[in-house]
Amino acid sequence: MTIPPSPHRPDVVERTAAAAAAPTERFAVRTQGMVASEIRALFAVASRPEVVSLAGGMPNLAALPLDTLSAEIGDLVAREGQVALQYGSAQGVPALREQICDVMREEGIEADPNDVVVTVGSQMALDLVTRLFCDPGDVVLAEGPSYVGALGSFAAYQARVVHVAMDAEGLVPELLEEALRTLAGRGITPKFLYTIPNFHNPAGVTLAVSRRRRILELCAEYGVGVVEDNPYGLLGFSGTTYPALRSMDRSVIYLGSFSKTFASGLRVGWALVPPAVRDRLVLAAESATLCPPSFTQMIVSRYLEKHDWRAQVKTFTEQYRERRDAMLAALETHLPDGCTWTVPDGGFYVWVTLPEGVDAKAMLPRAVTARVAYASGTGFYADGLGSRQLRLSYCYPTPERITEGVRRLAAVIEAEMDVRRTFGLPAAPAPEVRRGAHTPSPDTA
């Protein structure tokens, strides 16, 4: 039997026995963009007990009231098990969607629960949004550097990423305007701007409130959507909660998560979308999971209803601030001249720039040998930049482990610089300001 040519692949007429024996030859073209992130590949090594891991962004769950939560989960199964353990709505448990609106109100967002779609973590929401909007070859704007999970989703759907640089106050509006103008001159309209405005992952900086409206105006002027990813927004160290971009423009797609403010293992996130997007997002969610787990949603719903979740967020914030302070003190004490770093006022991360000529990715195996791990900067760019940068995470280790990890890292950096000096390479001049906030992405044009 002869199989007629496909209208999409006229060159493919029939499958041979050889092809049938090689599954990889049947993969879709888009899978070529699906590669393991550098961060995920690092986890197996970084999880060794002798290694101080400053690489992963795992929340610290030690402060959760586990005994109380255990009792609540048992009561949930006993009283509502036939609902909690059954299939549910593809859009999410209605009670939780209402509570999510209360959570978002902390950031100035007034929302209708009908416009909330609950997902299996905000990563799923990001993946679905990318699927809805991006055809192969479409352009997405993103800060440089950007969240590695977002870059993975964009690559999986064959979208092209154009990075826009940040400084100490986040995304630079003038550079965004320049990128939009340049793309428009080539007849390209990006599908959306993907941004993490608060306590950026990985850069640690926060978008200045004075810039937020201008960025929204520029995107509206050029017909570009905005996707706001905000998992850290309630984890500010100064007591300030910044207004969400979504609170200023109802067309913004807002992504949220309980992974950082409650429990990451429950995998409960959400997307707040305009009504015109909601129905298609629900259909996309149905095709991906049929429905998100009712059980984990109902656990989160009970937690929000019966516990002082704001006080719990404050407890988390105090722990992370203590760890942030330990990280900054250790960087100041141990890192050699020529290194700079950001000073986050919330979230999980510090972004470090190494002296000229020191390659963070090439140095990583030697750091692991010295029993310290970090995430090299190249993993946070779609175009291979970031070789002089690295991300340090302070959310999980104790302050003592953070200090020891930075001490080990500093010794590795010093050794790299010694090699440069030994082989006669010019020493990088020490910057005028050795510490504090700086441009997170000096490689990005």
Side-chain angles (χ1 to χ4, degrees), residues 9 27-35 131 136 152 154-158:
R9 296 282 301 275
F27 285 158
V29 174
R30 65 178 174 274
T31 63
Q32 296 174 7
M34 299 171 66
V35 296
R131 191 208 302 186
F154 303 152
Y157 292 104
Q158 298 174 284

Side-chain angles (χ1 to χ4, degrees), residues 126 129 133-134 139-144 146 154 161-166 171-173 175-177 179-180 189-197 207 211-212 214-220 223-229 245 252-253 255:
L126 176 59
V129 167
F133 285 99
C134 290
V139 169
V140 171
L141 294 171
E143 292 130 340
S146 190
F154 303 152
V161 176
V162 173
H163 286 298
V164 181
M166 294 180 285
L171 186 67
V172 181
L175 296 180
L176 174 62
E177 184 174 17
L180 289 167
T189 300
K191 284 301 179 76
F192 53 79
L193 165 67
Y194 170 76
T195 179
I196 307 171
L207 179 61
R211 293 182 176 183
R212 298 188 180 212
R214 178 55 181 158
I215 286 170
L216 292 171
E217 291 169 353
L218 284 169
C219 289
V224 176
V226 176
V227 176
E228 176 182 16
D229 195 357
L245 297 174
V252 171
I253 293 175
L255 309 181

Side-chain angles (χ1 to χ4, degrees), residues 59-75:
N60 192 316
L61 305 182
L64 279 177
L66 296 181
D67 291 345
T68 302
L69 290 175
S70 176
E72 284 290 351
I73 291 170
D75 188 67

Side-chain angles (χ1 to χ4, degrees), residues 1-6 8-9 11-29:
M1 180 178 69
T2 301
I3 301 174
S6 163
H8 305 294
R9 296 282 301 275
D11 58 311
V12 179
V13 177
E14 60 184 356
R15 298 291 184 185
T16 66
T24 56
E25 295 184 16
R26 300 197 297 272
F27 285 158
V29 174

Side-chain angles (χ1 to χ4, degrees), residues 10 46 57 94 106 123 188 195 215 228 263 289 300 325 352 383 409 427:
E106 300 285 317
Q123 179 67 35
I188 298 172
T195 179
I215 286 170
E228 176 182 16
T289 63
V300 175
D325 290 347
V352 176
D383 48 17
L409 174 62

Side-chain angles (χ1 to χ4, degrees), residues 11 24 51 118 152 199 250 262 268 270 298 308 349 394 424 429:
D11 58 311
T24 56
V51 175
V118 181
F199 322 128
R250 295 181 67 85
F262 181 23
V268 178
W270 73 89
M298 292 176 74
D308 189 347
Y349 306 108
Y394 51 77

Side-chain angles (χ1 to χ4, degrees), residues 14 52 54 75 190 194 199 211 228 249 282 296 351 390 414 434:
E14 60 184 356
V52 178
L54 306 176
D75 188 67
Y194 170 76
F199 322 128
R211 293 182 176 183
E228 176 182 16
D249 184 341
V282 171
T296 54
W351 187 244
L390 55 89
E414 289 277 15
R434 199 192 140 221

